[in-house]
Amino acid sequence: MKPDVLIVGAGIIGAACADALSAQGLRVTLVERDVVGSGATAAGMGHLVAMDDNAAELALSSHSLELWSELVEGQAQRHEYSRCGTIWVAADDEELEAARAKAATMRAHGLECDVVGAQELYRLEPNLRPHLAGGLLVQDDGLVYPPKSARILLSRAVARGASLVTGEVVALEDGGVVLADGSRLSAGQVVLAAGTRCLALAPELPLRPKKGHVMITDRYPGFIHHQLVELGYIKSAHASEGESVAFNLQPRPTGQVLIGSSRQFDTVDLAAEPSMMARMLARAVEYTPALAGLNVLRCWTGLRAATPDGLPLIGPDPTRRNLWLATGHEGLGITTSLATAELLAAQMSGRQAGIDTRPYLPSRFNAQGRAYG
């Protein structure tokens, strides 16, 4: 029987969409060329974080955190979930003032957070360098192991009758796709949830690959206790050109430390670059000098799908019939996957979503990829 919905991509976004759509009684088929939870999902750090660069980003990320809390309740170990919290580190008094403004914005959205001074900062994280001003502690941020969460979401969908097809989609058709072996799959609706790979199928989309590096150390339990991010990270994360690095450390449940982050435009070469790794490490050691004594086991890269305004594309494609988009999440795909799926499922079924869907509609961009207004 022909499925109601065909989803291209079985990363965290595609798996979440399959879960949400199958929960509404729709027949769902996913198509993935590699393995479930590969691509950007496997490359990501798995940080579940409320981001407030703009109101729409905060609405989507904070709502999705609520959904993540429901999902992992009672099964934290299955997702390798940890409610570690995030400390946005303030290097000086000016950044501490920015932390206070950030706290006010987050509290207005019901997020629990506290501005901490230097003494409390070093009690929480003694390996930070001396003479920092303080920071903002966001208690409910957490982390998961994204490939495992993607598989769990997909297994829920499969239990409701969803199916998984292994194959590479090479073309879109009205109500279907063409695979690399020449076979065709048809459905009432098609959802593109394949990150930067969406550009190969719909090159007109306002997406741009943004490469990132991640490193992981050997096991050093207790080296850090929270996700640590410099307050300048937001400026780096939303840069529209060039290369940038920012201090970002994450304590894994294994006792290992994940080291981020970098951003590079205009390359799809997934090779790890020693020069970029050196810049990342230098930035991390600047904030945590003892990190220089740890052993780094490996480094990998991934490609984030970025839109011009930093918000994802969630909703009907404005130029193709029966095509829906769930892509363009840049570095927030893990965090916002569950809310994305809810918003997409609500639009496809004509139901009310938990938040306003309008800021994320693909129709906000014109034919040249520029946002209206």
Side-chain angles (χ1 to χ4, degrees), residues 228-250:
L228 301 177
V229 191
E230 64 172 291
L231 273 163
Y233 174 90
I234 296 173
K235 182 184 295 184
S236 165
H238 293 285
S240 58
E241 298 294 338
E243 301 179 347
S244 62
V245 299
F247 169 62
N248 185 358
L249 295 186
Q250 181 188 99

Side-chain angles (χ1 to χ4, degrees), residues 237-323:
H238 293 285
S240 58
E241 298 294 338
E243 301 179 347
S244 62
V245 299
F247 169 62
N248 185 358
L249 295 186
Q250 181 188 99
R252 294 303 305 175
T254 57
Q256 296 171 285
V257 179
L258 277 181
I259 305 170
S261 63
S262 70
R263 281 166 169 77
Q264 296 169 268
F265 280 111
D266 302 321
T267 179
V268 292
D269 182 359
L270 287 172
E273 301 174 42
S275 60
M276 186 58 66
M277 294 165 59
R279 287 180 60 186
M280 287 170 56
L281 285 171
R283 189 64 172 170
V285 169
E286 183 180 337
Y287 276 85
T288 51
L291 187 71
L294 307 191
N295 293 322
V296 172
L297 295 182
R298 65 186 183 96
C299 174
W300 64 91
T301 67
L303 296 175
R304 313 172 181 94
T307 63
D309 63 2
L311 295 174
L313 307 173
I314 308 171
D317 185 283
T319 63
R320 297 176 185 247
R321 281 174 16 97
N322 302 320
L323 181 67

Side-chain angles (χ1 to χ4, degrees), residues 34-352:
D34 295 320
V35 297
V36 175
S38 57
T41 297
M45 294 179 74
H47 191 191
L48 304 178
V49 54
M51 292 288 284
D52 65 335
D53 189 56
N54 55 63
E57 182 182 71
L58 182 54
L60 188 66
S61 59
S62 60
H63 181 56
S64 205
L65 287 179
E66 295 174 1
L67 300 177
W68 271 108
S69 180
E70 296 171 7
L71 179 66
V72 302
E73 185 176 3
Q75 52 178 341
Q77 189 172 1
R78 289 188 68 205
H79 292 270
E80 296 188 27
Y81 170 78
S82 169
R83 184 177 171 270
C84 60
T86 301
I87 297 180
W88 294 86
V89 179
D92 51 35
D93 290 340
E94 182 180 3
E95 289 192 353
L96 192 58
E97 280 302 310
R100 293 189 178 99
K102 189 179 183 73
T105 300
M106 290 190 166
R107 287 171 184 151
H109 280 74
L111 296 166
E112 185 180 351
C113 57
D114 293 298
V115 177
V116 298
Q119 183 175 354
E120 177 66 4
L121 178 67
Y122 292 117
R123 185 190 71 79
L124 294 169
E125 295 291 348
N127 276 318
L128 285 167
R129 76 161 192 254
H131 309 305
L132 293 168
L136 174 65
L137 170 61
V138 185
Q139 286 92 336
D140 289 335
D141 285 357
L143 58 90
V144 294
Y145 183 52
K148 184 173 286 188
S149 293
R151 291 193 294 270
I152 292 170
L153 288 164
L154 179 56
S155 68
R156 285 163 41 123
V158 169
R160 302 187 192 102
S163 60
L164 174 67
V165 174
T166 300
E168 181 177 4
V169 176
V170 295
L172 300 174
E173 295 182 326
D174 187 5
V177 300
V178 181
L179 302 185
D181 63 5
S183 63
R184 285 174 161 80
L185 298 174
S186 60
Q189 307 289 333
V190 175
V191 175
L192 268 186
T196 58
R197 293 178 185 171
C198 294
L199 285 169
L201 302 173
E204 73 278 5
L205 293 178
L207 295 174
R208 193 176 177 192
K210 190 183 286 190
K211 181 179 177 179
H213 287 67
V214 180
M215 288 175 275
I216 193 166
T217 71
D218 205 342
R219 297 172 189 259
Y220 300 97
F223 181 78
I224 57 172
H225 306 280
H226 304 78
Q227 180 99 5
L228 301 177
V229 191
E230 64 172 291
L231 273 163
Y233 174 90
I234 296 173
K235 182 184 295 184
S236 165
H238 293 285
S240 58
E241 298 294 338
E243 301 179 347
S244 62
V245 299
F247 169 62
N248 185 358
L249 295 186
Q250 181 188 99
R252 294 303 305 175
T254 57
Q256 296 171 285
V257 179
L258 277 181
I259 305 170
S261 63
S262 70
R263 281 166 169 77
Q264 296 169 268
F265 280 111
D266 302 321
T267 179
V268 292
D269 182 359
L270 287 172
E273 301 174 42
S275 60
M276 186 58 66
M277 294 165 59
R279 287 180 60 186
M280 287 170 56
L281 285 171
R283 189 64 172 170
V285 169
E286 183 180 337
Y287 276 85
T288 51
L291 187 71
L294 307 191
N295 293 322
V296 172
L297 295 182
R298 65 186 183 96
C299 174
W300 64 91
T301 67
L303 296 175
R304 313 172 181 94
T307 63
D309 63 2
L311 295 174
L313 307 173
I314 308 171
D317 185 283
T319 63
R320 297 176 185 247
R321 281 174 16 97
N322 302 320
L323 181 67
W324 298 76
L325 303 175
T327 186
H329 297 78
E330 215 267 284
L332 278 177
I334 309 302
T335 293
T336 60
S337 56
L338 301 187
T340 293
E342 181 194 275
L343 266 61
L344 186 77
Q347 292 179 69
M348 295 182 76
S349 64
R351 301 182 184 181
Q352 186 73 29

Side-chain angles (χ1 to χ4, degrees), residues 16-53:
C17 289
D19 180 46
L21 291 168
S22 65
Q24 294 191 357
L26 297 175
R27 297 186 301 273
V28 177
T29 295
L30 287 91
V31 188
E32 170 58 50
R33 76 173 191 181
D34 295 320
V35 297
V36 175
S38 57
T41 297
M45 294 179 74
H47 191 191
L48 304 178
V49 54
M51 292 288 284
D52 65 335
D53 189 56

